[in-house]
């Protein structure tokens, strides 16, 4: 199940691995391995991951420098926690096409996932230079900068990602919520609230957006509103926020309102989740 979940998340990083620039795309289409790559990409979109990997291996046997196949194989490798394989594929990809913004972005992404933050920042900045209109390098650049405590730089990167997302029509809740979380940490509740509201408007069924709304309400001392948003978050199942996190927040929200019975109900649910993990 983890393979499917993580690979689906990587799918969001680029629906088609062929997003590597018009010139590289033309070169790739002339490759002997391109038909097998096309088959692999279709299988990947359909979430048939083992079959996609087989097709990618066939493509790379025919053309070891086929950049779209290398980037797609790297994404599948990351889904399997094979970051050694992903890094090798991406090193080959950026060597084969140094102007591939998408390959450079994924190269920085895998450094970020491995907590190699200086290397991630260097590669993501290069990806941003290669494709200044893509919001993804700016978003992950902000996440890496924030992890290093560079909050001012991170805010600039998050705001850049939001602006690029708006301009390209590719604005996502992650862009808004990454910025809102940092603003909440810095105590800027007003701007944080505006971004959370935008995320909820963009995706009313986003668990993460409702959870962040609940966190903000709790920080503002409105336990009732926090509880309502937390209960809504619990109804939705897509996002990064776990059931455990939501139940823990709801315990705090209900306790702040003196509703000990509701707090106890979520405490029981939380203990049940923890016991499942221990088994």
């Amino acid at each position: 199940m983890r393979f499917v979940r993580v690979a689906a998340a990587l799918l969001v990083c680029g629906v088609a691995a062929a997003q590597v620039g018009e010139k590289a795309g033309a070169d790739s289409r002339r490759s002997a391995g391109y038909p097998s790559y096309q088959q692999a990409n279709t299988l990947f979109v359909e979430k048939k991951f083992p079959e996609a990997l087989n097709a990618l291996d066939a493509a790379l046997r025919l053309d070891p420098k086929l950049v779209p196949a290398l980037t797609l194989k790297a994404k599948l490798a990351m889904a399997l926690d094979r970051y050694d394989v992903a890094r090798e594929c991406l090193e080959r990809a950026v060597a084969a096409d140094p102007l591939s913004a998408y390959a450079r972005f994924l190269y920085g992404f895998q450094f970020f996932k491995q907590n190699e933050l200086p290397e991630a920042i260097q590669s993501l900045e290069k990806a941003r230079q290669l494709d200044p209109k893509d919001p993804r390098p700016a978003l992950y650049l902000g996440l890496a900068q924030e992890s290093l405590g560079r909050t001012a730089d991170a805010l600039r990167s998050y705001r850049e990602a939001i602006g690029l997302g708006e301009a390209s029509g590719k604005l996502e809740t992650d862009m808004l919520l990454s910025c809102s979380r940092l603003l909440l940490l810095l105590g800027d509740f007003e701007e944080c609230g505006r971004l959370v509201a935008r995320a909820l408007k963009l995706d009313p069924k986003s668990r993460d957006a409702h959870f962040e709304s609940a966190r903000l309400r709790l920080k503002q001392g409105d336990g009732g509103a926090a509880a309502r948003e937390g209960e809504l978050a619990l109804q939705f199942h897509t996002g990064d926020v776990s059931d455990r996190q939501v139940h823990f927040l709801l315990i705090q929200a209900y306790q702040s309102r003196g509703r000990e019975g509701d707090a106890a109900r979520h405490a029981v649910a939380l203990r049940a989740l923890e016991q499942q993990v221990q088994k």
Side-chain angles (χ1 to χ4, degrees):
M1 287 302 295
R2 185 187 178 281
F3 177 42
V4 174
R5 185 170 62 252
V6 177
L10 284 166
L11 183 61
V12 178
C13 289
V15 172
Q19 294 173 346
V20 293
E22 188 173 341
K23 181 178 183 300
D27 291 342
S28 298
R29 285 192 292 273
R30 291 192 289 269
S31 167
Y34 191 70
S36 293
Y37 158 72
Q38 283 185 305
Q39 181 187 15
N41 196 49
T42 299
L43 291 166
F44 180 71
V45 173
E46 293 173 352
K47 302 181 183 179
K48 297 178 180 178
F49 303 121
E51 295 89 343
L53 187 58
N54 290 335
L56 284 170
D57 287 338
L60 290 169
R61 280 194 295 271
L62 293 167
D63 184 353
K65 294 184 178 181
L66 184 57
V67 172
L70 288 167
T71 56
L72 185 53
K73 185 173 181 179
K75 289 162 68 174
L76 287 167
M78 283 187 274
L80 288 168
D81 273 339
R82 289 298 308 274
Y83 283 89
D84 55 332
V85 174
R87 184 170 301 187
E88 179 193 1
C89 288
L90 293 169
E91 286 173 349
R92 290 166 58 188
V94 297
D97 185 2
L99 298 181
S100 169
Y102 186 63
R104 185 67 67 170
F105 162 67
L106 282 181
Y107 194 44
F109 178 80
Q110 63 85 27
F111 278 126
F112 174 78
K113 293 296 289 182
Q114 290 290 90
N115 204 35
E116 298 179 43
L117 300 176
E119 294 84 356
I121 288 172
Q122 183 180 15
S123 189
L124 292 166
E125 285 178 337
K126 180 64 174 178
R128 186 171 61 171
Q129 293 168 8
L130 289 168
D131 187 359
K133 295 182 180 180
D134 187 352
R136 294 168 301 182
L139 173 61
Y140 282 95
L141 184 59
L143 290 168
Q145 290 165 334
E146 184 180 352
S147 297
L148 289 175
R150 294 166 50 182
T151 54
D153 290 336
L155 274 178
R156 281 192 292 269
S157 295
Y158 290 148
R159 287 167 175 154
E160 179 184 341
I162 291 169
L164 291 171
E166 291 170 331
S168 64
K170 298 177 181 177
L171 183 65
E172 298 174 356
T173 57
D174 280 351
M175 299 171 192
L176 297 164
L177 295 178
S178 294
C179 191
S180 77
R181 291 184 188 106
L182 180 52
L183 290 166
L184 182 64
L185 184 65
L186 296 174
D188 189 344
F189 296 163
E190 185 175 351
E191 187 178 355
C192 173
R194 286 196 296 267
L195 293 177
V196 170
R198 290 180 64 188
L200 286 168
K201 185 176 181 180
L202 186 63
D203 185 0
K205 294 183 179 181
S206 166
R207 166 179 278 200
D208 293 355
H210 284 289
F211 180 77
E212 293 304 324
S213 179
R215 289 181 67 221
L216 173 61
R217 300 302 182 192
L218 194 58
K219 282 281 189 179
Q220 291 174 319
D222 190 346
R228 288 191 295 273
E229 286 294 318
E231 294 288 2
L232 283 170
L234 208 54
Q235 294 178 20
F236 304 118
H237 302 285
T238 56
D240 295 327
V241 175
S242 67
D243 286 355
R244 184 183 183 281
Q245 290 172 286
V246 181
H247 285 301
F248 185 75
L249 182 143
L250 282 166
I251 292 168
Q252 295 176 299
Y254 283 124
Q255 285 178 338
S256 74
R257 302 291 293 175
R259 295 171 58 176
E260 296 300 332
D262 288 315
R265 173 167 54 87
H266 286 285
V268 169
L270 180 59
R271 283 195 296 272
L273 289 171
E274 290 173 344
Q275 288 170 359
Q276 289 175 8
V277 172
Q278 292 170 2
K279 288 180 180 179

